[in-house]
Amino acid sequence: MHFEQLLAMATELGKDKTKVMQFPENWCQGRTAFGGLSAALLYQAIRQHIDSSRRLLSLSTNFVGPLIADNDFSIDVEVLREGKNSAQVLAKVIQNGDVCVITQACFGAERQSDVRVDVTKTMQLKPVDERFILPYKEGVMPAFFQHVALCLQDGNMPFSGADTSHLGGWMKFKHVPEQMTEAHIIALTDAWPPTLLQMYKQPAPASSMSWYIEFVEEPAIANDAWIGYEAVTHHSKDGYGLEDGCIWSESGKLIALSRQTVALFA
């Protein structure tokens, strides 16, 4: 099942809270849906409640418990406040009576302002070299990995005992979508492993606990374009790490900023 089909189902859940959906096991990371998928589905359901003139400013997601494949779940959307220019919306994934994932989204309409600060960050990635796309290896890599193409450029593979926590490269869906939206970028951004996983000397789990992504502006990206990703770890101690990331267009335009807290088990 392609990502587009799952988004279409989430659209219906956003319109009718009595409906349910499932996703297949090949979208899992371990025993749960990979985080980017669940966050993107929640965003897609939320989007149905907000006027299209308001763009996504930020999405804050907490992964409360596992979201299991091939089991019905529903999405509950609550508009917390909708003002003249902004809106705050809360959404939850509920499966077997339990909350699995919770997301709060902030939307805003364009405002008139004389204050302007241009982006000072610059992308360090080199152009895409498709010879370095990571191959999918069943039983070795997370199942969802078969749906995405990641071209690693900075950093190392998980469990390689690396001495760096920097991670960067290019990403896209293997099945080209009709249109590249915020939902696609949300899902792709979380397809990368935590930056600290490459420092592990042997296989062991790590889990995203919370994730915050801010969009600099509404993305205008070709449906078949590569999207850049650069991430660094600011701090890791006592089994928890904090990492920041930048999401770029191929031309080097900043699309979004990402931050997540990761629990480490090694």
Side-chain angles (χ1 to χ4, degrees):
M1 184 177 289
H2 296 307
F3 185 66
E4 307 298 303
Q5 295 169 297
L6 295 170
L7 283 187
M9 293 181 192
T11 297
E12 293 305 310
L13 267 63
K15 295 175 181 177
D16 184 352
K17 65 167 57 179
T18 67
K19 292 188 175 182
V20 296
M21 68 174 285
Q22 297 182 4
F23 65 92
E25 194 172 359
N26 60 22
W27 279 99
C28 280
Q29 183 172 15
R31 66 187 181 119
T32 184
F34 108 87
L37 174 66
S38 52
L41 295 179
L42 279 165
Y43 166 73
Q44 189 70 11
I46 287 171
R47 184 79 257 189
Q48 311 314 306
H49 294 257
I50 301 299
D51 189 89
S52 60
S53 65
R54 299 186 179 193
R55 73 174 182 88
L56 178 64
L57 300 177
S58 64
L59 192 80
S60 178
T61 304
N62 282 69
F63 303 100
V64 180
L67 177 59
I68 307 300
D70 301 317
N71 281 261
D72 287 346
F73 66 87
S74 61
I75 297 179
D76 180 57
V77 179
E78 178 185 0
V79 179
L80 301 176
R81 184 180 185 276
E82 191 164 12
K84 182 179 178 181
N85 292 298
S86 63
Q88 298 272 358
V89 188
L90 184 70
K92 305 172 186 176
V93 170
I94 300 172
Q95 188 177 65
N96 298 323
D98 295 324
V99 175
C100 303
V101 188
I102 185 168
T103 284
Q104 185 168 338
C106 177
F107 296 84
E110 193 171 292
R111 302 170 184 257
Q112 283 293 114
S113 176
D114 295 328
V115 177
R116 174 166 177 155
V117 179
D118 292 324
V119 173
T120 56
K121 291 178 178 287
T122 56
M123 182 177 69
Q124 303 301 309
L125 297 172
K126 299 175 183 176
V128 181
D129 188 338
E130 296 195 9
R131 293 177 300 170
F132 299 109
I133 295 175
L134 300 177
Y136 172 65
K137 297 180 180 179
E138 188 173 356
V140 176
M141 295 177 171
F144 81 88
F145 202 83
Q146 61 194 282
H147 299 289
V148 298
L150 300 183
C151 186
L152 183 66
Q153 195 173 100
D154 181 25
N156 293 275
M157 294 290 288
F159 320 127
S160 59
D163 57 3
T164 179
S165 62
H166 291 201
L167 188 68
W170 297 95
M171 54 190 178
K172 69 190 308 186
F173 282 102
K174 291 179 179 177
H175 176 78
V176 178
E178 291 184 7
Q179 181 183 3
M180 185 66 69
T181 68
E182 289 94 340
H184 296 82
I185 294 168
I186 290 166
L188 283 171
T189 299
D190 197 51
W192 293 92
T195 55
L196 292 163
L197 215 57
Q198 62 187 300
M199 301 184 76
Y200 284 22
K201 295 180 180 179
Q202 58 190 16
S207 177
S208 295
M209 299 183 68
S210 61
W211 179 33
Y212 186 67
I213 184 167
E214 296 176 300
F215 281 82
V216 176
E217 59 183 50
E218 191 170 6
I221 304 170
N223 62 335
D224 61 346
W226 286 92
I227 299 172
Y229 179 73
E230 293 179 302
V232 298
T233 300
H234 289 298
H235 180 263
S236 179
K237 185 180 179 182
D238 300 327
Y240 299 95
L242 177 64
E243 66 177 57
D244 276 354
C246 294
I247 298 94
W248 306 93
S249 70
E250 282 191 85
S251 63
K253 190 173 186 179
L254 184 64
I255 300 170
L257 299 168
S258 170
R259 168 167 286 198
Q260 66 174 319
T261 300
V262 180
L264 308 173
F265 299 88

